């Protein structure tokens, strides 16, 4: 049975944020709000938690997972970026973008696309996520909460509890945060490629 935290979307309660961070550190799978939709997350180094998320979403090994970061200061630890790419990322973060980048050896192999060796990087504009990442001191391994057979993410935390309370360890109710997934931009090659049109404007990448 999962825990259910109601966290204020603009002024997150420090006590609940601290408890949520401890659940992630101890191998828990959490549902949490972002700036465009709810997501599933866990500790990036926890294989069992990642496998649980794969089962919930029915994902195969070709799925490109995303590391959700509080800012770009640690991006060089997880992704290979040149100065031009970094400037482009900085101009569009925080925001509802996922950037696909070449991964460094710091990223566990199980999170990478098996052939492309890439990882998604995301810096959301959401006070709950920002507080949670600050408390953790490292990124959250993440994927959108889109259930098998559905095209859009789940939006109602109470429906999430009814459906997934026996499959996750924590559901954070941060209110309504949208139902559109991120815009996905592939930054691996010199010219950016829009992989998915989503919540954020992609005109600058075309």
């Amino acid at each position: 049975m999962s825990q259910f935290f109601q966290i204020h979307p603009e002024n997150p309660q420090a006590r609940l944020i601290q408890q949520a961070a401890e659940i992630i550190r101890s191998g828990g799978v959490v549902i949490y709000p972002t700036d465009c939709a709810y997501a599933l997350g866990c500790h990036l180094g926890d294989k069992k938690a990642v496998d649980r998320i794969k089962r919930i979403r029915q994902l195969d090994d070709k799925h490109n997972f995303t590391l959700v970061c509080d800012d770009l200061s640690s991006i060089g630890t997880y992704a290979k970026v040149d100065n031009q790419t970094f400037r482009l990322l900085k101009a569009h973060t925080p925001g509802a973008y996922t950037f696909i980048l070449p991964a460094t050896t710091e990223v566990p192999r199980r999170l990478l696309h098996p052939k492309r060796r890439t990882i998604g990087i995301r810096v959301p504009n959401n006070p709950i996520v920002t507080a949670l990442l600050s408390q953790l001191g490292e990124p959250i391994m993440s994927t959108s909460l889109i259930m098998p057979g559905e095209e859009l993410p789940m939006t109602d935390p109470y429906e999430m509890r009814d459906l997934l309370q026996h499959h996750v360890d924590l559901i954070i109710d941060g209110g309504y945060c949208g139902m559109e997934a991120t815009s996905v931009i592939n930054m691996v090659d010199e010219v950016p490629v829009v992989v998915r049109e989503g919540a954020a404007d992609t005109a600058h990448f075309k």
Side-chain angles (χ1 to χ4, degrees), residues 67 69 71-82 86 89 101-107 119 121 139:
L67 296 183
C69 310
D71 58 34
L72 295 177
S73 62
S74 62
I75 190 171
T77 304
Y78 304 101
K80 301 171 185 175
V81 291
D82 57 26
F86 184 82
L89 266 60
L101 296 160
T104 68
T105 55
E106 290 294 316
V107 181
I119 191 70
I121 297 288

Side-chain angles (χ1 to χ4, degrees), residues 61-175:
D61 290 336
K62 295 181 177 63
H63 182 75
N64 231 125
F65 283 105
T66 296
L67 296 183
V68 174
C69 310
D70 60 347
D71 58 34
L72 295 177
S73 62
S74 62
I75 190 171
T77 304
Y78 304 101
K80 301 171 185 175
V81 291
D82 57 26
N83 290 337
Q84 181 180 345
T85 301
F86 184 82
R87 285 195 293 270
L88 202 53
L89 266 60
K90 192 172 182 180
H92 292 86
T93 55
Y97 295 96
T98 298
F99 297 101
I100 306 298
L101 296 160
T104 68
T105 55
E106 290 294 316
V107 181
R109 289 175 64 91
R110 61 183 168 274
L111 301 185
L112 303 178
H113 188 286
K115 292 183 179 178
R116 303 192 189 103
R117 305 284 300 169
T118 53
I119 191 70
I121 297 288
R122 169 140 158 67
V123 183
N125 184 19
N126 178 284
I128 293 174
V129 184
T130 300
L132 187 54
L133 289 165
S134 178
Q135 183 70 38
L136 277 170
E138 58 187 339
I140 297 172
M141 197 297 297
S142 189
T143 187
S144 300
L145 182 55
I146 302 172
M147 297 303 293
E150 301 293 331
E151 293 185 1
L152 296 173
M154 295 186 73
T155 59
D156 186 339
Y158 291 94
E159 287 184 7
M160 298 171 200
R161 183 167 64 176
D162 290 343
L163 183 65
L164 295 169
Q165 62 182 328
H166 298 294
H167 301 278
V168 302
D169 300 283
L170 170 65
I171 298 165
I172 296 176
D173 177 3

Side-chain angles (χ1 to χ4, degrees), residues 24-80:
I24 293 173
R25 284 195 194 100
S26 61
V29 172
V30 304
I31 294 172
Y32 67 99
T34 73
D35 49 357
C36 59
Y38 276 84
L40 280 162
C42 69
H43 189 274
L44 64 91
D46 196 303
K47 181 183 185 302
K48 289 183 180 179
V50 173
D51 287 344
R52 288 169 63 196
I53 289 176
K54 284 182 175 180
R55 286 195 295 272
I56 292 168
R57 287 279 319 270
Q58 296 182 15
L59 299 172
D60 60 24
D61 290 336
K62 295 181 177 63
H63 182 75
N64 231 125
F65 283 105
T66 296
L67 296 183
V68 174
C69 310
D70 60 347
D71 58 34
L72 295 177
S73 62
S74 62
I75 190 171
T77 304
Y78 304 101
K80 301 171 185 175

